[in-house]
Amino acid sequence: MESVSYLVRHGHAGNNAARVCNGDPTTGIRLTAKGLAQCRRAASALWLTNVRTLVTSELPRARQTGDLLLRGHSAHRVVEPLINEETYGHFEGGSLDAYKLWCGEHGATVAPPGGGETRLAVLARFLRGLRACLAYPGPRLVVGHGLMLAMVRQLRRTGSLDPITERTPAHVTPLVLSDAELGRLVVTGLAGIARLTARQNP
């Protein structure tokens, strides 16, 4: 039987409640009471008993989610920085709404001032991270962030990427992909990013 990946957005966290940007793993933003409850409810799902590898981003809210979901399970734990939340530059710790407005005005190929990543660079990093996840034994649970899940859902639905506009996925709700499908989406996404980059830099 072909292996699968369960892609999950972390539980509701402090940055979600306050609508602030947080891509810095050192700031320690963790799950809220709502997020803890989401993880407790989800932890009883039967599919979790088959997970052999847990892959999370470096951010505390993702690692906390993975640990709560697999509490009592012997799955191998891996931390993968390539699936970290985007880096926001000067927007770090500030308004998420202001950051999204800035992205809409400046497009996917301009990096936020202060060392942030362009949207295209973030999506390419996510795709490389998901490709790296496929090297670990499955079934695997991959706990990341909203933009990564939105990217995968869009690729799955349309076969293309819109680097700016995304619908935020629900917390702790698995998106299940076979290894073959995830591998195809990674190839499709990276090819799409290459085309968008070439169009911006003729």
Side-chain angles (χ1 to χ4, degrees), residues 9 40 107 122 190:
R9 183 187 180 196
R40 291 192 197 100
V122 173
L190 289 172

Side-chain angles (χ1 to χ4, degrees), residues 20-199:
V20 299
C21 300
N22 175 230
D24 181 359
T26 67
T27 57
I29 290 180
R30 298 174 66 83
L31 300 181
T32 61
K34 178 180 178 180
L36 294 172
Q38 290 169 337
C39 291
R40 291 192 197 100
R41 287 194 299 270
S44 62
L46 288 176
W47 61 267
L48 286 168
T49 62
N50 298 318
V51 170
R52 296 179 62 195
T53 307
L54 166 64
V55 186
T56 73
S57 82
E58 292 182 301
L59 280 84
R61 57 189 180 273
R63 299 175 71 170
Q64 190 180 12
T65 297
D67 287 340
L68 288 169
L69 290 177
L70 292 184
R71 178 171 289 176
H73 295 270
S74 59
H76 177 58
R77 264 70 166 171
V78 178
V79 176
E80 177 51 74
L82 288 173
I83 64 170
N84 281 4
E85 178 68 288
E86 58 197 297
T87 54
Y88 293 99
H90 287 165
F91 289 96
E92 177 69 30
S95 165
L96 180 61
D97 295 325
Y99 169 71
K100 289 187 173 184
L101 179 62
W102 185 92
C103 285
E105 292 173 346
H106 291 82
T109 59
V110 179
E117 295 173 280
T118 70
R119 269 298 173 97
L120 284 184
V122 173
L123 299 184
R125 172 165 63 75
F126 288 158
L127 290 164
R128 294 194 304 272
L130 291 170
R131 183 171 58 193
C133 290
L134 288 170
Y136 298 112
R140 61 193 71 80
L141 170 61
V142 181
V143 184
H145 302 271
L147 181 59
M148 185 182 79
L149 271 291
M151 173 195 71
V152 174
R153 289 196 314 180
Q154 187 178 51
L155 277 170
R156 195 182 205 188
R157 187 175 65 252
T158 69
S160 62
L161 289 171
D162 180 344
I164 299 300
T165 303
E166 80 281 345
R167 294 181 180 178
T168 304
H171 296 278
V172 203
T173 302
L175 178 64
V176 187
L177 300 100
S178 70
D179 286 5
E181 183 180 15
L182 182 55
R184 285 195 299 270
L185 292 180
V186 167
V187 170
T188 299
L190 289 172
I193 288 172
R195 287 193 296 271
L196 288 169
T197 302
R199 196 176 303 157

